[in-house]
Amino acid sequence: MSVPGPTAGTRLEGSVPGGVLSGSVVQRVRGAHLGMVPIVGALLVIWAVLGVVNPAFLSAENLVNLTLQSVPVGVIALGVVLVLLVGQIDLSVGSVSGLAAALLAVGTVNLGWPVWVAVLAALSVGVVVGLGYGVLSTRLGLPSFVFTLAGLLVLAGVQLVVLGPKGSINLPFESWFVRTVQQGFLPTPLAWVLVAAVVAAYAAVLAVDHVRRVRAGLRGPGTGTGRIAGRTAVLAAVLAAAVAYLGTARGVGYTVVLFVALVAVVDLLLRRTRWGRSVRAVGGDRRSALLAGVAVRRTVVSCFVACSTFAALGGVLAAGRLAAANQGTGAADTYLTAIAAAVIGGTSLFGGRGSAWSALLGVLVIQSIANGLTLLNLDAATRYIATGAVLLLAIVVDMLLRGRREI
Amino acid sequence: MTGVPDQPVLAVRGVSKSFGGVRALVDVDVDVHEHEVLAVVGDNGAGKSTLAGILAGAFRPDEGQLLLDGAPVALDSPKQAHALGIAAVFQDLALVDDLDVVENLFLGRETLQGPFLDEVSMEREAWTLLDQLAATVPSVRLPVQALSGGQRQVVAVARALLGEPRVIVLDEPTASLGVRQSAEVLNLIERLRERGHAVVLVSHQAGELQAVADRILVLRLGRVHGEFAGDASYEDLLAAMTGAVRPVRGEHDAVPRGARHAGGAGVVRR
Ligand SMILES: Nc1ncnc2c1ncn2[C@@H]1O[C@H](COP(=O)(O)OP(=O)(O)OP(=O)(O)O)[C@@H](O)[C@H]1O
Ligand SMILES: [Mg+2]
């Protein structure tokens, strides 16, 4: 086989008759590839509106709170993104997080385990639950909607059993775990070093990609020095603004760094590894993925395991943040909020489309609404209605994108 | 290419397959040789796609067996079939709409660079392949959903060619192709034969087959209804496909290649 010269791609792209690339195709593709632009725009609008109505919302101290509030549900939503991507759902993430929180509290307080042992125990509950779901889904072929609904109830019951008759266990405030989760903030110099390192690494990856593509005679998205500079500048601006502004108050919490790092790693795995490609393929078209030789079962199981494990981690972080685990941890609307966050962030309920970043953006939208409305002394009713409306909007957008792509 | 001369690279022996009450294939024998294009024709529902699926490891036969280089094999999955050198383009193409062209081409066998995908080399190989097929895909980074039916078909054919399989099963590869692309695919099929591949070409358009087929196998209602030489007349094929005449069962095993189409002489078209 001959390797195409530098012109091969160009020539083919140029040789397409105008009719083939006419409006509809371009629109369809643009619709699919708008990616995070709509949700970022929505977030900015929400911030602007809330900031105008109550300037306290945009104060650095409040935004620090907002970031800290977003972490536990955000971590859970990150797992939800994975199950949604592979075309499944997990309704039990709230119960899993509550059970994990209960285990952490009982382990450290009642049984005297070291914190890291209790955390590992809590996380392994997530792993085991996810494996169970994976078996139910891939071996028995049950619909995940049903068995995770059962899981929601069963695990909520187990959580109550673990918590015991008192129903609430306080974690000691002086434990390093609680202190880190509640009051651990990145020292400012370290924050700037981190920003510089991340931006440099990002630019380096883009540059290496660019050089390889040019050498291979390829053109297309992701190339061009202007584009590299632009994307690097945007990243640098966002990170610098966040660190500088939050730094005028308490700064960037360790748990926030952990959450963003998890999102970035999952994003990398989804976009750049064989596993990530399998996830999108299985979620997009399970039969075709199977015929193409994708290990469908293993992929589905891995997503259930990752989801439950992230849910458990979210519960652990929630317990640390409240310095307590009780019957309310992970209960009520936790799972709905997490699923709503994933969908609002742009991950499709129908599988195959979405991004790890939708967990971060979606949870920021939801928590901004909750936080802003609380500042305005509006009650939970308004918050539920507002969040529900945004969710509805997000699903309509999802349906429209999907509908346009199928007709 | 390897293999004993004249031994079929892939042989189907007495294969039957039912879906519920529907007998899709009944006691089918097929030989697939290297350096040869075997066409399989039949009316809708004749069992052509079922046969293709069995050759490609998508279905397991209820009865009978497959012989690869004379040795029995059980094909459990398309992946295993591919590993053994049998690739297929399924009738519905089996592309993932949300993935782009490169992602679809390499799905399940991505090129890696360390732990990460090597997008650059995959994209380059994609262009090479599509170039060979004279494809007019506007960009290999478009989701295949955004491609026309013909462009999708070319992508599916290109995927089957990856990794130089010995046997290539094409289920209606030209069904939604325009004149130029059809000619290109038929051309490609001839080139594949010249390179020594065994090609199984499934079609219900008897017309286009005569140009490329060395042998033509006619299926009707799940049974083999005669085997013809590549230059068999359209009338003979049509007669066998529709059952206007019923060749004696087993005749196709005895008649030497090339002399076969005479057997259809005197067929009365309905
Ligand atoms: N997965 C399946 N489940 C149930 N029945 C099936 C399945 N696949 C095929 N069949 C049945 O088996 C018979 C043969 O189908 P097959 O798809 O092999 O026909 P074909 O010759 O490829 O037809 P066409 O020209 O329409 O593609 C049909 O009666 C069909 O209804
Ligand atoms: Mg068919």
Side-chain angles (χ1 to χ4, degrees):
Chain A
M1 286 191 190
S2 71
V3 172
T7 52
T10 329
R11 177 171 53 72
L12 277 171
E13 281 180 38
S15 72
V16 173
V20 178
L21 250 189
S22 64
S24 75
V25 172
V26 172
Q27 271 166 17
R28 267 189 279 172
V29 173
R30 199 174 283 155
H33 279 231
L34 268 182
M36 303 191 296
V37 174
I39 177 68
V40 171
L43 188 60
L44 293 179
V45 168
I46 290 170
W47 282 358
V49 170
L50 290 173
V52 167
V53 177
N54 185 349
F57 175 78
L58 289 180
S59 72
E61 188 51 43
N62 189 54
L63 290 186
V64 169
N65 272 337
L66 178 64
T67 57
L68 294 176
Q69 284 163 359
S70 300
V71 171
V73 180
V75 172
I76 299 174
L78 182 57
V80 173
V81 165
L82 290 176
V83 279
L84 288 182
L85 269 180
V86 85
Q88 307 288 335
I89 192 144
D90 187 348
L91 300 176
S92 72
V93 285
S95 299
V96 172
S97 73
L99 176 57
L103 266 179
L104 175 79
V106 169
T108 51
V109 176
N110 297 9
L111 304 176
W113 295 348
V115 171
W116 65 270
V117 173
V119 169
L120 278 187
L123 294 186
S124 42
V125 165
V127 174
V128 170
V129 169
L131 281 175
Y133 288 164
V135 169
L136 290 175
S137 173
T138 58
R139 298 288 155 180
L140 302 185
L142 301 180
S144 53
F145 184 85
V146 177
F147 63 71
T148 60
L149 190 56
L152 182 158
L153 295 168
V154 170
L155 296 171
V158 176
Q159 179 189 356
L160 298 189
V161 172
V162 170
L163 282 173
K166 260 180 34 186
S168 174
I169 297 172
N170 290 330
L171 298 175
F173 272 101
E174 57 286 358
S175 111
W176 65 264
F177 175 71
V178 171
R179 262 189 291 131
T180 310
V181 172
Q182 282 189 340
Q183 298 148 31
F185 290 89
L186 214 53
T188 310
L190 187 57
W192 285 112
V193 170
L194 210 57
V195 168
V198 167
V199 170
Y202 183 70
V205 168
L206 289 186
V208 168
D209 262 13
H210 174 64
V211 169
R212 289 196 65 213
R213 292 182 67 89
V214 169
R215 284 220 188 109
L218 296 172
R219 291 184 40 194
T223 62
T225 39
R227 222 185 135 101
I228 295 178
R231 296 173 78 172
T232 309
V234 168
L235 178 73
V238 169
L239 290 182
V243 166
Y245 192 56
L246 297 179
T248 63
R250 281 173 290 164
V252 183
Y254 281 126
T255 58
V256 178
V257 176
L258 172 70
F259 174 41
V260 175
L262 285 175
V263 171
V265 168
V266 171
D267 180 60
L268 184 74
L269 293 177
L270 283 176
R271 287 189 304 110
R272 295 261 181 153
T273 68
R274 188 175 270 173
W275 172 79
R277 186 136 308 165
S278 306
V279 170
R280 287 172 54 223
V282 172
D285 188 333
R286 193 179 168 118
R287 184 179 160 273
S288 294
L290 190 67
L291 288 177
V294 173
V296 172
R297 287 179 172 175
R298 217 188 313 148
T299 307
V300 171
V301 172
S302 70
C303 286
F304 275 118
V305 169
C307 177
S308 300
T309 309
F310 278 132
L313 179 60
V316 166
L317 293 172
R321 194 175 139 63
L322 297 173
N326 54 41
Q327 296 179 346
T329 314
D333 58 347
T334 305
Y335 75 99
L336 290 176
T337 312
I339 295 170
V343 175
I344 288 173
T347 292
S348 173
L349 273 173
F350 307 105
R353 278 183 298 123
S355 140
W357 293 102
S358 55
L360 177 76
L361 294 166
V363 81
L364 279 180
V365 166
I366 288 185
Q367 293 294 351
S368 297
I369 293 172
N371 176 303
L373 297 184
T374 310
L375 282 184
L376 294 174
N377 286 325
L378 290 171
D379 53 2
T382 322
R383 204 181 78 216
Y384 285 153
I385 292 171
T387 309
V390 173
L391 175 62
L392 189 64
L393 190 71
I395 291 181
V396 169
V397 170
D398 182 23
M399 278 299 283
L400 287 178
L401 279 179
R402 180 176 127 103
R404 184 165 54 203
R405 288 146 57 86
E406 278 193 352
I407 290 165
Chain B
M1 293 278 148
T2 56
V4 187
D6 266 9
Q7 172 175 309
V9 52
L10 189 61
V12 171
R13 290 285 171 264
V15 159
S16 300
K17 175 80 188 170
S18 299
F19 295 104
V22 182
R23 306 190 74 188
L25 286 180
V26 185
D27 192 22
V28 168
D29 288 341
V30 184
D31 284 351
V32 182
H33 294 271
E34 287 178 335
H35 286 284
E36 191 184 63
V37 176
L38 171 69
V40 177
V41 290
D43 218 340
N44 292 128
K48 307 182 296 290
S49 294
T50 309
L51 178 60
I54 283 177
L55 293 176
F59 297 133
R60 289 193 80 163
D62 300 334
E63 282 165 46
Q65 60 179 351
L66 269 71
L67 306 176
L68 186 67
D69 293 321
V73 282
L75 301 177
D76 292 324
S77 67
K79 191 183 176 91
Q80 192 198 359
H82 195 271
L84 292 171
I86 307 165
V89 176
F90 297 97
Q91 188 165 11
D92 63 358
L93 305 185
L95 299 171
V96 180
D97 288 340
D98 287 320
L99 299 188
D100 68 29
V101 175
V102 178
E103 291 171 334
N104 265 290
L105 283 176
F106 290 86
L107 188 60
R109 45 203 142 105
E110 292 86 356
T111 312
L112 296 182
Q113 193 190 31
F116 297 113
L117 299 170
D118 187 348
E119 297 285 358
V120 172
S121 74
M122 285 194 279
E123 192 168 326
R124 200 167 58 157
E125 202 173 335
W127 277 122
T128 313
L129 262 174
L130 293 172
D131 248 7
Q132 285 183 345
L133 302 180
T136 55
V137 177
S139 157
V140 290
R141 288 303 176 185
L142 278 179
V144 295
Q145 176 73 61
L147 300 181
S148 75
Q151 290 166 338
R152 292 160 60 86
Q153 205 139 36
V154 175
V155 171
V157 171
R159 180 166 76 179
L161 295 182
L162 264 180
E164 296 275 317
R166 292 169 70 195
V167 180
I168 299 172
V169 182
L170 303 163
D171 194 351
E172 314 262 5
T174 58
S176 59
L177 294 187
V179 182
R180 192 167 88 87
Q181 241 75 36
S182 284
E184 211 59 66
V185 167
L186 294 178
N187 241 329
L188 170 83
I189 288 171
E190 291 191 330
R191 289 211 304 277
L192 290 174
R193 170 178 54 199
E194 271 146 37
R195 289 213 309 234
H197 297 275
V199 182
V200 179
L201 173 61
V202 172
S203 180
H204 64 257
Q205 298 170 306
E208 73 176 25
L209 295 174
Q210 284 135 320
V212 290
D214 296 306
R215 286 184 300 138
I216 303 176
L217 190 77
V218 178
L219 280 182
R220 192 162 72 82
L221 300 176
R223 293 175 192 273
V224 177
H225 268 258
E227 191 181 299
F228 295 79
D231 52 0
S233 76
Y234 185 69
E235 283 73 22
D236 292 351
L237 291 176
L238 210 64
M241 281 166 69
T242 56
V245 72
R246 304 193 91 203
V248 184
R249 177 91 181 100
E251 175 212 52
H252 62 280
D253 290 325
V255 180
R257 268 187 232 169
R260 192 145 309 129
H261 66 288
V267 167
V268 185
R269 288 189 65 187
R270 284 196 277 183

